[in-house]
Amino acid sequence: TMSAEVAPPNAMHSTAALPTMSQEMIVVDGKAWMNAGGNWTALPDSVAAQVTAGLNGAAGMLEQIASPECLGTQNFEGKDYLAFKYTFAATGVDSTSTIYVDPATNLPAITVGTSNAAGKGTDTRASYRYDPAIKITPPM
């Protein structure tokens, strides 16, 4: 299970619960830190640059979307959304996703997808919320 708070253009706080441990990463203003065992460790500036580029480069990934299809209004988990289905191909990864968009705000609410990489399948679900109160600060 992974969770991420993102404050564009240059801040992110992510947590990941893995079978054997949990890890946490914070990126703020060109600096990055990792907590993988209870202690925060500074990471090279190149890691922060790579994460920040990923945050800002997501729009460039739109070129890799194929077969977009508007599914119209669909009910998902008891709520009506505008639904869109698409495929996405990156180096060695093929995926199909459905994104559910809040019709009141036109913002993504949920994405559900399946991916295949090197013969292994993955099911993914992402839920989005928009909260201007999110503040990301360096670890103390």
Side-chain angles (χ1 to χ4, degrees), residues 73-118:
T73 301
Q74 288 198 352
N75 189 282
F76 184 77
E77 298 179 339
K79 185 174 177 184
D80 286 340
Y81 295 97
L82 300 174
F84 302 88
K85 184 176 182 179
Y86 59 92
T87 60
F88 181 86
T91 306
V93 179
D94 293 312
S95 66
T96 300
S97 296
T98 301
I99 187 165
Y100 297 93
V101 175
D102 181 331
T105 63
N106 288 326
L107 293 171
I110 300 167
T111 301
V112 178
T114 58
S115 298
N116 188 327

Side-chain angles (χ1 to χ4, degrees), residues 10 13 37 43 49 62 75 95 108 121 123:
N10 59 2
H13 176 205
L43 298 173
L62 292 174
N75 189 282
S95 66
D123 294 325

Side-chain angles (χ1 to χ4, degrees), residues 8 24 31 50 52 60 68 71-72 96 105 108-109 119 140:
E24 192 172 4
K31 300 291 181 193
Q50 185 177 14
T52 301
L71 303 176
T96 300
T105 63
M140 297 297 167

